[in-house]
Amino acid sequence: MHDRERPAATGISRRNLLAAATAALAVPGTLMAVGAPPASAAAAYPFQNPAHSVAARVKDLLGRLTLDEKISLFHQYQPAIDRLGIKSFRTGTEALHGVAWLGKATVFPQAIGLASTWDPELIERVGSAVGDEARGFQQERPAGWGLNLWAPVANLLRDPRWGRNEEGYSEDPYLTGVISTAYGKGMTGGDPDHLKSAPTIKHFSANNNEVRRDRTSSDLRPRVKHEYDQAAFRPAVEADAVTGVMSSYNLVNGRPCTVDPDLNDAVRSWTDRDLMNVTDAWAPNNLVTGVGAQNYYPTLAEADAAAMKAGIDSYTTDDADSAPTTTAVKKALTDGLLTEADIDRAAGHILAVRVRLGEFDPNGGKYGAIGKEAIDTPAHRALAREAATKAAVLLKNSGGTLPLRKSADVAVVGPLADTLYTDWYAGTLPYEVTPKDGVAAKVGKDVASSEGVDRIALRNTATDKYVTAGTGTAGAALRESGAAATEETAQFDVFDWGAGIVTLRSVANGRYVGRSDAGFVNDQVQPGGWYVMQQFSLEKQADGTYLLKYAGYETADSWWTSPVYLGPSGADGTLGLVEKSAAAHYAREVVRSGTEEAVAAVKGKDAAIVVIGSMPAINGRENHDRTDMGIAPAQAALVEAVVAANPRTVVIVENSYPTTIGELAARVPALLWTSHAGQETGNALADLVFGDANPAGRLTQTWYRSEDDLPSILEYDIIKHERTYWYFRGKPLYPFGYGLSYTTFSYGQLKRFDGGYTVAVTNTGRRAGDEVVQLYVHQRTSRDVQPLQQLKAFRRVSLKPGETKTVRLRLTERDLAHWDVTRSRWVVESATYEIGVGSSSADLRARTTWKVSGETIAPRDLSRTTRAENFDDYASIRLVDESKVRGTAVGATAAGAWVSYKDAQLSGGKRQFKARVAGAAGSVEVRLGSPTGRRVGTAAFGGTSSVYAYTAVTAALDGVPDGRSDVYLVLGEGMRLASFTLG
């Protein structure tokens, strides 16, 4: 955890420079890299000779490229350079839980599901399979293909309402680091010099809200930045499990992440290897002045230059059109904003990754022969089933409801009983095993089933005409006609996804209704797309009729100006968008009650299985945070009706996030959670429900009882706002690390060894099962507020009935470090540390203490320059950019804003306060003990013309006592404070 000495953030890394120097002196062809495949064809140039080091090959190639050719590398779509035999290259193949957008490929559980296995070895195998399948497309190179894979996602799941919760792993940085490292290592192949694929970890950093995501700033006080946010990204980079980071859309401390100097200063210090850092899509353009943009730089040339200086190498923007990027970079060179050394540095980072991918090796290098036979193999299908099985979490199992007997007569009902949904970053399913399919295969016969959704007809009460759809896969535009409600063309299945959103599936062809250029057409297999145009609301009116509202515009921005209600807009009755005053009033006629059908299916059965959950394109996703953490009302009502009809009900919740299901959980005897788990979902669930597998997944996030347990999604200070299990003092519905089993486990005593602890774990039940042994730490005394507990180690172990295994869990003094704001470095304090081991953060079975002789943090010496951001507490303060290049200041958002610096060593006599301030005119008051404590000085400030124009202000201090005191600085609204001294 301690910062090591940082290598230079410019040029080729130190290790590679040594290799390059050695290679330059060697006879070409005599220096063989370890593990390099033999050259099977003569290399025309040294950069094509795998016998040379990576750095030597990059140096040779850079020397052969023209300036224009080097600049052409900076766009996402890098063109071929035919004169040197260099093929085109594209960054950014999506591979979050399988290769996406290229055609049929193995689809594994969503990232949140993969992490719920708590099984790094499994995750590495999944990553390896994904790397194989990415290579599998290389012979045909379909549009969108490349070996730079945009995964894993290390953003912490700090707030479960985040729209992209499905993409992350955990609210805990340690668990996130372990899982992302395993996935990345699998994708690389484990040999950093010869990459199977080149994973890019994203999105750096503090990206955990979608609302105004390109304009909101995440405030990261130093402790949160180092202990929490960056701690999630660092492990995979340090382990060479990824080959670069993607910068995120948001700002951090007032500065866009696209120009975050930590891309160089921090990220490149974590490894000696060259990293290829990329921007998120269109993010470079966000920097430039314009409507809805970040307005950080007036021109693209200045923006792109600043991004490159900060550590960006590849610009993802303007789709396949590289001209805006290359033109801007050339202008930046002409204007002196960049030098050729900057160009060579960034180009070198890109080429180093391409060399390691074997692009310039004879026959494509170590992995060059892999072809499409690597895609959707039997082994990968088995792995997908294993991952989906291990990912599920048993939340409740009263009275031994589960597992069910295979001879049991069961029914499978619910809106997700016989379908599999995929998310935005999922691949194309090569086949589908739904829950109903899996159960039927397990019991060896067809099972009763119902989706449990209402089938309705919509009748215009003014004309008595019905809304009708088309037949055939292409469907037709919805229109009002004289059809009867009994005709399938007039019938729609209504799926309730909560928050007032429904989707309409036409009975005429089984396709969903969506908006298109042709109107509202029933032609969609599933709701989806960047704009999910298959969303509607049925708004009940006072007279009992309904207005049909189009809800697929999906934006709070001002660009949407069209009306949103549906009504006849053509002579033939075709439905279009009309003003509310002209909207049709419809009677919602129930042709078939979904609840009644489901109840009939489960009555008299030995057990009922209800599958409910989310639609990933609707219930939280990229660009859309969740506003409702509950189960959709119609789904909750369905569960209640089924339980009333059959008390032996098993509820499976299939979604991508924690859910406030306290009332539902209290009503059902058995509750199982899974993410959207890919092609093998049904087989995995059947294995678990019928006991062929024993559930051992564990929650990677806190499941809260209510949204009231959470502050604003924009509050990133987990310390002050008591976020995540680290600081949350309330009682969760289900705690971090929670998950049940069909067997039981006992724990022995914790024993210390040099490097960690051992504990004996015994399976005390009658079934084989896996236990996830988790080690947590709490520091009893500290200068600083400490987490209530922190995960520091874990192991998933398999145990037969009666079997005991001794589990080793690594924990060193370095793992106990936290960030000391008084000296801006890591520190291990002298303290007693509580060590607990158990099956969840709330179920610790073995405990001990560890007295560590570390450091004692001395009182603050404010006579030295103190960075204002290194406060201990604050009110009405935002963290802001000191300059556009680097540095963080504090900004006052209201009069009387304050920051505190606790336990300062003061000395009496004549003292002077000096501060660097900018912004609005005002004053800085120096007070002792509290924000309203004794004022010992006031520095007046006349304001500056720019928030970046800092000036020094001073004040004589009067009445400063000898001794230790907390110092408070009280600021006027609009002021910025960068640093100060009390000297």
Side-chain angles (χ1 to χ4, degrees), residues 28 113 221 289 335 341 389 415 423 467 501 514 558 565 575 581 800 837 850:
R221 61 196 287 183
T289 301
D335 293 348
T389 304
D423 58 62
V467 175
I501 300 297
S558 59
Y565 290 91
L575 295 189
S581 59
K800 299 174 184 176
V837 172
W850 184 16

Side-chain angles (χ1 to χ4, degrees), residues 569-725:
S569 61
D572 63 350
T574 298
L575 295 189
L577 292 175
V578 298
E579 298 294 341
K580 187 174 183 179
S581 59
H585 285 245
Y586 292 108
R588 182 183 184 276
E589 298 180 357
V590 178
V591 177
R592 184 194 67 197
S593 167
T595 298
E596 290 178 2
E597 184 184 67
V599 165
V602 304
K603 273 187 176 179
K605 301 296 183 183
D606 296 328
I609 301 171
V610 188
V611 191
I612 60 174
S614 71
M615 201 287 132
I618 294 174
N619 298 116
R621 62 183 180 88
E622 184 170 359
N623 215 25
H624 293 279
D625 295 317
R626 285 193 297 154
T627 57
D628 185 344
M629 291 174 62
I631 289 291
Q635 295 186 24
L638 173 68
V639 171
E640 287 194 28
V642 169
V643 171
N646 190 326
R648 193 174 174 85
T649 293
V650 177
V651 172
I652 297 173
V653 178
E654 186 178 336
N655 63 20
S656 316
Y657 39 72
T659 307
T660 51
I661 55 172
E663 292 185 5
L664 181 148
R667 289 188 174 95
V668 301
L671 188 62
L672 185 72
W673 174 85
T674 181
S675 72
H676 294 280
Q679 63 207 48
E680 286 286 342
T681 297
N683 283 331
L685 291 175
D687 287 344
L688 292 163
V689 167
F690 290 94
D692 284 341
N694 193 341
R698 299 291 185 267
L699 299 180
T700 67
Q701 290 177 271
T702 302
W703 281 44
Y704 297 97
R705 293 180 178 274
S706 166
E707 290 92 340
D708 295 339
D709 290 332
L710 296 167
S712 164
I713 197 172
L714 299 178
E715 296 287 4
Y716 276 77
D717 187 346
I718 65 169
I719 301 174
K720 189 173 184 68
H721 297 284
E722 298 183 344
R723 277 184 172 276
T724 79
Y725 82 97

Side-chain angles (χ1 to χ4, degrees), residues 360-375:
F360 312 131
D361 291 1
N363 302 318
K366 183 176 179 179
Y367 301 102
I370 295 177
K372 61 183 180 181
E373 70 281 352
I375 301 170

